Amino acid sequence: MTSPFRPLMAIYRDWLEETRGLTFADYQAMWEWSTSDLDAFWQSIWEHDGVQSPTPHSAVLAEDRMPGAVWFPGATLNYAHQVFRHAQAADAAGQPAIVAEDERGNRAEISWAELKRRTASLAATLREMGVGKGDRVAAYLPNVPETVVAFLATASIGAIWSVCAPDMGTRAVIDRFLQIEPKVLIAADGVFYAGRALDRSGEIEEIRAALPSRPKLILKESGHASSKLPHDLSLEDALARSDGETEAFEPQFLPFDHPLWIVYSSGTTGKPKALVHSHGGIVMAVYAALKHLDIGPSYAPNSLGERFHWYSSTGWIMWNCQVNGLLGGTTICLFDGSPSGAKDAPDWGTLWRFVSGNRVTIFGAGAAYFGNCMKAGVDPAAQGDLSAVRALGSTGSPLPEAVQNWGTEAFARMGRPGIWWSNISGGTDICGLWIAGNRELPLVPGRMQCRQLGARVEAWNENGESLIGEVGDLVCARPFPSMPVFLWGDPDGKRYLDSYFDMFPGIWRHGDWLSIGEDGSCVIYGRSDATINRHGLRIGTSEIYSAVEDLPEILDSMLIDLEYLGRPSEMLLFVVPRPGEAVDPTRIKAAIRQAVSPRFVPDRILEAPAIPRTLSGKKQEVPIRRLFLGHPIEKIISRETMANPECLDFYVREAGAHLEDARRAS
């Protein structure tokens, strides 16, 4: 599919003019309306996108406050019901609901009718196991169609879903599921990842033994387990029913704010927050976001054949966002496996071949993925026919200008100049977008195009003053539907308040540094608690990383500043060189001096085996900074929340040596 079709943003804008008599001079004016008249905007989304409720709502935003906003009181809906309303039209057009492939090339397509039948089968099974409204169903599953089915089945009966990826450490999974006391655990006894079969039967036994709720086990048998686990039912059998009950299946209508799923913060510095999002909040946020992502129904003439893939494991919020494509009637494309092939033979062309072979139209991944492709010298054109791709998306960390230019130039060489990059920022906290793309706006490498409709996102200084053209704290100054309805295990709401409303009472503070341009475009400069304030000049670490990682010999980098409680600034830069390359401190310092400022040249440059990252790919600057300030490692970081815990020993040794040198010097 190519992209002369009409952008979804334009279709929505035309609808506003036809039905509301609203016209806007430009996108900025449209955004201003959407964030100042919340009732009118969110009511328009409700109608335009066809939210189905058998009961009317008495108001849109009945309680305009944060936290505690009350949305659409009286309305009843269900996420799964909103998904399956597309089934008949999509099947009639011959468009599948799910296309799935693993790293060994095994491929499957699932129709909308079959997706609904499997969902109905598992929903009936869960009910027979005693699962009802408000009960928790936990999953320990990879990125396969069965995981999507399990989620939809859980949501359809009013139970609450929560998933952890099998690549997470067992302790990290227990820390999450222990909080929510699941009634049923759906788990895979093995996975195949990075060229290896991995047995997970022992981990499942350990997880179940640690849960006082003693959940019943529905087991996905992978063929990779060393022994047969005792279980209550196989997942294959749970999905196999086809009878009058499954034929008559309809998801249960629920109050707007009924819990849909529980997702978790990274948990790098303590017990992960268990964030509860609602059916209605997610449905509304997704319908607003789809206009920015420009993802249309696969069966509609305007977007016929749409196929959406955003690479993710089930442990990252982008898995939820991938599944959200079904709410828009879009075929979602799932890849189960490593994006870089086997560990002993990295192959960064793997995903590009998946995208080519499955005619993906919108391809998203973490920014680090595209950076790794560039560093590895991947030529996307050499991986197959990418003519169906009309948009690339990135998130997880700021996308460097050089990386975006690399991707744009690669598509230009294929005869596809001006490929659209949908660079987004939001997060687990809201499972939605704060900063987003807009296919109608100019595209500037290194910048995100706009703030999302309905999201009153601003950059504030410490006095609560809104800034333009300067770096400030990212805040949301008005309620947004997919803000968590509460945190699990936080009965008095104190942890919720401390997490988001500690600095500006009644105003959501997200924890990122943001700059908003006069044209409304945005730059995220990294986490606000990892920002460098060097001799009075504040800067996001992403600017320094961009300068360092533009050097072809550097694969990765991480910067920490040890200024603390009156201590002078001391900046340490860790760099990971490409195999066979040497680290040249003089060259690195010159790059920072030229691209950023002499003020931000580090005091020391250390060669590291790897940069510590979370499972979702975020650099763990804050825990490593605290380690070098003398905090014990066991209190600041959990190895089981890391993608590469083996590198921590290096940082522990270096921190010990650094602290000993400081002690001697003093």
Side-chain angles (χ1 to χ4, degrees):
M1 187 174 75
T2 55
S3 57
F5 73 93
R6 192 145 176 76
L8 297 190
M9 187 69 75
I11 292 172
Y12 170 62
R13 191 176 58 247
D14 290 348
W15 183 89
L16 286 174
E17 182 173 2
E18 292 165 7
T19 65
R20 302 292 197 271
L22 292 170
T23 58
F24 306 100
D26 53 23
Y27 177 78
Q28 284 270 69
M30 188 178 181
W31 175 83
E32 184 66 40
W33 162 76
S34 76
T35 58
S36 56
D37 193 345
L38 294 182
D39 282 14
F41 170 69
W42 290 109
Q43 179 64 33
S44 77
I45 294 294
W46 181 281
E47 295 177 23
H48 178 268
D49 289 270
V51 179
Q52 296 182 353
S53 168
T55 56
H57 50 273
S58 58
V60 174
L61 181 55
E63 298 287 345
D64 186 353
R65 62 172 184 262
M66 292 187 290
V70 176
W71 293 94
F72 294 94
T76 52
L77 72 165
N78 188 294
Y79 181 109
H81 186 275
Q82 287 295 125
V83 165
F84 289 125
R85 70 194 176 100
H86 298 289
Q88 186 174 356
D91 280 339
Q95 300 297 327
I98 299 175
V99 173
E101 191 175 316
D102 64 27
E103 66 176 57
R104 291 172 292 176
N106 298 313
R107 187 177 182 279
E109 286 193 9
I110 299 175
S111 70
W112 287 81
E114 177 63 8
L115 178 63
K116 187 174 182 181
R117 186 203 62 75
R118 293 187 193 183
T119 298
S121 177
L122 184 53
T125 300
L126 290 173
R127 281 199 179 108
E128 289 173 359
M129 287 182 158
V131 177
K133 283 176 60 177
D135 290 329
R136 276 76 62 207
V137 173
Y140 182 69
L141 293 168
N143 189 21
V144 292
E146 293 93 327
T147 313
V148 179
V149 173
F151 158 59
L152 291 172
T154 300
S156 72
I157 62 174
I160 306 170
W161 168 260
S162 190
V163 62
C164 285
D167 60 354
M168 292 177 70
T170 310
R171 185 68 249 171
V173 177
I174 293 170
D175 285 345
R176 286 154 173 76
F177 290 167
L178 195 60
Q179 296 184 59
I180 67 170
E181 302 176 284
K183 183 170 280 190
V184 170
L185 174 65
I186 307 175
D189 64 7
V191 294
F192 192 93
Y193 187 86
R196 292 191 302 148
L198 304 171
D199 179 6
R200 286 292 180 262
S201 56
E203 285 80 355
I204 293 171
E205 289 185 305
E206 188 178 345
I207 291 165
R208 288 187 82 194
L211 299 177
S213 59
R214 295 294 183 264
K216 294 179 180 178
L217 177 62
I218 299 177
L219 189 68
K220 175 177 168 56
E221 296 173 282
S222 64
H224 305 314
S226 58
S227 60
K228 190 172 181 65
L229 275 178
H231 54 279
D232 297 275
L233 190 66
S234 76
L235 183 55
E236 183 179 7
D237 288 344
L239 299 176
R241 298 170 62 153
S242 183
D243 51 26
E245 185 177 355
T246 55
E247 184 71 25
F249 163 79
E250 287 297 336
Q252 182 177 354
F253 284 101
L254 304 160
F256 184 94
D257 60 356
H258 185 81
L260 171 66
W261 58 44
I262 299 171
V263 294
Y264 305 91
S265 63
S266 61
T268 55
T269 58
K271 186 173 73 171
K273 295 192 295 287
L275 304 134
V276 183
H277 294 128
S278 69
H279 279 252
I282 293 298
V283 165
M284 297 302 291
V286 169
Y287 287 150
L290 289 176
K291 293 161 184 52
H292 289 273
L293 295 166
D294 203 40
I295 301 173
S298 301
Y299 56 85
N302 186 63
S303 46
L304 189 65
E306 191 88 281
R307 292 192 171 191
F308 171 44
H309 169 65
W310 202 293
Y311 177 76
S312 178
S313 80
T314 52
W316 188 21
I317 198 64
M318 292 312 296
W319 179 84
N320 304 66
C321 295
Q322 168 83 90
V323 175
N324 285 342
L326 294 171
L327 279 174
T330 306
T331 299
I332 62 172
C333 299
L334 309 179
F335 181 80
D336 176 30
S338 166
S340 57
K343 286 191 175 181
D344 56 354
D347 177 7
W348 289 99
T350 299
L351 280 187
W352 293 105
R353 291 192 295 276
F354 167 79
V355 166
S356 168
N358 291 292
R359 305 296 292 168
V360 169
T361 59
I362 297 177
F363 170 32
Y369 167 77
F370 293 109
N372 283 321
C373 287
M374 183 185 78
K375 293 284 186 180
V378 170
D379 179 7
Q383 310 307 315
D385 179 6
L386 297 172
S387 59
V389 177
R390 63 179 186 84
L392 299 170
S394 81
T395 193
S397 58
L399 182 71
E401 181 179 344
V403 177
Q404 184 166 333
N405 286 334
W406 164 83
T408 300
E409 290 162 7
F411 274 81
R413 290 195 301 274
M414 297 180 227
R416 303 283 306 287
I419 188 76
W420 177 50
W421 285 85
S422 180
N423 303 327
I424 62 173
S425 181
T428 302
D429 311 83
I430 59 163
C431 191
L433 307 183
W434 290 139
I435 316 295
N438 182 337
R439 191 153 68 90
E440 297 184 303
L441 293 178
L443 190 63
V444 179
R447 300 189 70 86
M448 289 175 280
Q449 290 174 292
C450 61
R451 292 167 281 181
Q452 180 177 292
L453 292 173
R456 188 73 194 191
V457 169
E458 299 178 357
W460 280 20
N461 64 18
E462 58 273 17
N463 298 319
E465 298 166 329
S466 185
L467 307 171
I468 294 294
E470 299 180 48
V471 176
D473 259 300
L474 190 162
V475 304
C476 188
R478 298 292 305 278
F480 191 78
S482 64
M483 288 174 177
V485 285
F486 57 89
L487 305 187
W488 199 270
D490 181 37
D492 60 1
K494 184 179 186 304
R495 196 176 188 202
Y496 195 167
L497 285 169
D498 290 347
S499 297
Y500 305 109
F501 301 98
D502 60 333
M503 188 167 179
F504 306 111
I507 299 294
W508 176 288
R509 175 176 175 263
H510 198 59
D512 284 331
W513 287 122
L514 168 69
S515 173
I516 303 168
E518 292 284 351
D519 62 353
S521 66
C522 300
V523 178
I524 295 284
Y525 290 93
R527 297 295 294 174
S528 53
D529 47 11
T531 297
I532 306 299
N533 192 343
R534 182 84 155 172
H535 310 311
L537 184 62
R538 190 169 64 182
I539 194 171
T541 50
S542 63
E543 294 191 61
I544 298 171
Y545 297 150
S546 180
V548 174
E549 294 167 23
D550 274 351
L551 297 172
E553 68 270 23
I554 302 300
L555 273 178
D556 209 352
S557 63
M558 182 178 69
L559 185 73
I560 60 173
D561 188 356
L562 302 181
E563 181 181 17
Y564 182 66
L565 295 179
R567 288 176 45 163
S569 172
E570 182 183 10
M571 282 173 41
L572 308 184
L573 177 67
F574 301 93
V575 294
V576 181
R578 289 175 64 85
E581 298 282 354
V583 172
D584 183 348
T586 302
R587 179 170 156 85
I588 292 170
K589 290 179 180 180
I592 296 172
R593 189 177 291 111
Q594 179 177 358
V596 186
S597 163
R599 196 177 297 203
F600 293 98
V601 170
D603 298 290
R604 291 178 60 201
I605 297 176
L606 298 90
E607 182 176 334
I611 298 305
R613 290 183 179 270
T614 65
L615 290 169
S616 61
K618 294 184 184 297
K619 298 180 184 185
Q620 297 191 294
E621 300 153 312
V622 175
I624 298 302
R625 176 176 179 268
R626 295 183 69 196
L627 178 65
F628 274 75
L629 289 172
H631 296 263
I633 185 69
E634 64 274 8
K635 292 188 176 180
I636 60 172
I637 195 167
S638 166
R639 291 175 184 265
E640 302 204 354
T641 63
M642 293 182 62
N644 51 356
E646 66 280 354
C647 74
L648 266 189
D649 292 340
F650 164 81
Y651 291 92
V652 171
R653 289 194 303 272
E654 289 294 331
H658 178 85
L659 290 164
E660 179 60 23
D661 289 345
R663 186 190 64 78
R664 289 173 179 167
S666 62

